[in-house]
Amino acid sequence: MKVLVTGGLGYIGSHTVVELQQEGFEVVIIDNLSNSRIEVLDQITSITGIKPQFEQFDLLDKEKVSDFFNTNRVDGVIHFAASKAVGESVEKPLLYYQNNLGSLLNLLQAMLRTDQDHFIFSSSCTVYGQADVLPITENAPIKPAESPYGNTKKISEDVLSDVVKAHDFHAIALRYFNPIGAHPSAKIGELPLGVPQNLIPYVTQTAAGIREQLSVFGDDYPTPDGTAIRDYIHVVDLAKAHIVALKRLVQKEYQSPIEFFNIGTGMGSSVLEVIQAFEKATQQKLNYKIVDRRAGDITAAYADTTLANTTLGWRAEKSLEEALKDAWEWQLQQK
Ligand code: UD1
């Protein structure tokens, strides 16, 4: 079976390509290298022994997308390619709407025209905003997005919901909680551009001496230790969720033409707990200080993963410490 992975050289995409290949899928990657490096292709090959087919172009190029589906038949598409910096999306909203929605529309139009089905969409727990009830189930109300980035995830889910109503087309949206860690081989991992915005790359870069000090954003949240709580999931566990979702589509096991699943561990960890776990897992001492809250941050989010556990037969297996250790091993590989 052949699968298209858009953004397959990016952080989550590259880990998913490895898992797909290890499960016997033939993989073709489309990536414009806007936030990824071509070397990742060799790293994937060195882990699995199989070089994936690679096409370098931008999904906003409608003609190229159309040509691709004219000349390739795939059993499914896993769509990662998107812009993902929350802060940048606030400054450049049109760029985010154009990139994230334009590429989705081009893909869907070409797939429908060439009669190709099965679409897995990278969604986010950001669609729930600050949920009123924790842990968060898939039935929790969708809240107005805090950022254009978050809004593109919500609108993309809406686009897919409308498309499956009108056409013989099937999709699964995976709502990721906070992906962290790296491949245990330390050959692929997260490659943040510039100063990291997310917690774990900032932690590992601080421990490595690239950043002087980690700022903990707020210790006055209504949580046991005052710092904000998230559900951190190992990227390899997350990658594996895509394989079970793809099989569900291909084997027509779905219960409705679009399904939504929370992909997290089900466990919430505070920022201070993450720091402690990192220090324990890596024997590194982390220099940090408490600063003001970051605008737009929520207090707490963690998943109820019952639906993914029972319906997909998937669950996260790796611990927070394992993820932090793998993130650290990956950091040590960077120059
Ligand atoms: C962020 C995005 C989310 C996106 C996700 C992608 C925001 C508000 N949300 O999630 O939409 O899907 O990234 O990975 O940007 N923290 C620190 N110090 C730091 C960095 C982070 O204390 O230097 C804290 C944050 O306040 C938060 C936690 O660590 O409580 C996790 O932050 P982060 O890794 O940026 O993820 P989210 O904000 O949950």
Side-chain angles (χ1 to χ4, degrees):
M1 270 195 288
K2 185 164 169 176
V3 188
L4 167 62
V5 181
T6 75
L9 297 183
Y11 175 43
I12 307 171
S14 58
H15 289 83
T16 303
V17 169
V18 165
E19 296 303 315
L20 283 166
Q21 290 184 318
Q22 289 178 338
E23 284 282 313
F25 290 92
E26 185 186 339
V27 176
V28 47
I29 294 172
I30 299 176
D31 198 305
N32 67 358
L33 301 180
S34 64
N35 189 16
S36 58
R37 294 195 199 146
I38 190 63
E39 291 78 17
V40 175
L41 195 60
D42 294 330
Q43 297 297 83
I44 290 170
T45 312
S46 106
I47 296 171
T48 63
I50 308 160
K51 188 163 187 144
Q53 183 186 333
F54 174 58
E55 314 275 348
Q56 184 184 339
F57 63 85
D58 196 312
L59 295 170
L60 289 181
D61 189 333
K62 194 170 176 153
E63 209 174 299
K64 290 224 172 87
V65 176
S66 178
D67 287 349
F68 174 86
F69 284 97
N70 287 340
T71 49
N72 290 273
R73 286 211 70 79
V74 293
D75 297 285
V77 174
I78 307 181
H79 179 44
F80 293 105
S83 304
K84 61 168 187 178
V86 176
E88 185 188 46
S89 82
V90 175
E91 283 155 30
K92 301 174 187 168
L94 292 177
L95 182 77
Y96 273 67
Y97 287 112
Q98 183 162 34
N99 272 352
N100 293 3
L101 300 177
S103 53
L104 175 71
L105 298 184
N106 286 347
L107 278 173
L108 293 176
Q109 279 162 351
M111 287 180 77
L112 290 176
R113 187 178 49 72
T114 57
D115 229 352
Q116 309 202 46
D117 191 6
H118 308 139
F119 197 83
I120 296 179
F121 179 65
S122 290
S123 193
S124 169
C125 67
T126 194
V127 299
Y128 300 118
Q130 179 55 70
D132 302 319
V133 181
L134 294 171
I136 303 171
T137 71
E138 288 79 357
N139 294 325
I142 302 302
K143 296 267 176 82
E146 286 278 350
S147 69
Y149 158 78
N151 209 20
T152 66
K153 294 297 176 192
K154 195 251 170 206
I155 296 170
S156 296
E157 286 193 354
D158 291 345
V159 168
L160 286 167
S161 297
D162 288 339
V163 166
V164 302
K165 273 184 222 152
H167 302 275
D168 184 18
F169 193 77
H170 302 85
I172 290 179
L174 299 179
R175 292 175 177 158
Y176 313 153
F177 281 68
N178 288 54
I180 63 163
H183 196 265
S185 65
K187 290 182 174 182
I188 52 173
E190 194 168 4
L191 283 165
L193 284 180
V195 182
Q197 304 300 308
N198 295 117
L199 178 62
I200 304 320
Y202 210 105
V203 164
T204 59
Q205 289 196 7
T206 304
I210 301 167
R211 312 280 156 208
E212 204 178 309
Q213 191 172 48
L214 169 74
S215 295
V216 173
F217 297 140
D219 69 347
D220 57 350
Y221 284 102
T223 62
D225 67 19
T227 63
I229 291 175
R230 298 288 185 275
D231 182 339
Y232 297 94
I233 175 171
H234 196 299
V235 65
V236 172
D237 278 332
L238 172 59
K240 287 179 175 165
H242 295 79
I243 284 79
V244 291
L246 180 67
K247 287 182 178 167
R248 182 174 174 84
L249 287 175
V250 171
Q251 292 163 5
K252 308 206 179 302
E253 288 165 353
Y254 39 76
Q255 282 155 14
S256 61
I258 183 162
E259 295 179 313
F260 302 88
F261 294 99
N262 286 344
I263 303 297
T265 66
M267 188 186 80
S269 305
S270 73
V271 178
L272 290 179
E273 284 170 339
V274 169
I275 293 171
Q276 279 162 14
F278 178 80
E279 290 184 335
K280 186 163 170 232
T282 65
Q283 302 298 314
Q284 298 294 312
K285 193 94 196 100
L286 203 67
N287 181 22
Y288 70 89
K289 67 163 187 249
I290 310 284
V291 302
D292 287 347
R293 292 183 183 194
R294 179 172 70 179
D297 273 354
I298 55 169
T299 301
Y302 51 94
D304 182 324
T305 59
T306 309
L307 192 66
N309 297 161
T310 57
T311 310
L312 291 178
W314 169 92
R315 73 175 60 241
E317 283 164 359
K318 291 172 180 274
S319 66
L320 175 63
E321 283 181 21
E322 215 172 336
L324 294 169
K325 191 165 186 312
D326 287 340
W328 178 236
E329 296 295 334
W330 164 247
Q331 180 66 54
L332 293 175
Q333 299 302 311
Q334 311 310 303
K335 278 152 220 109

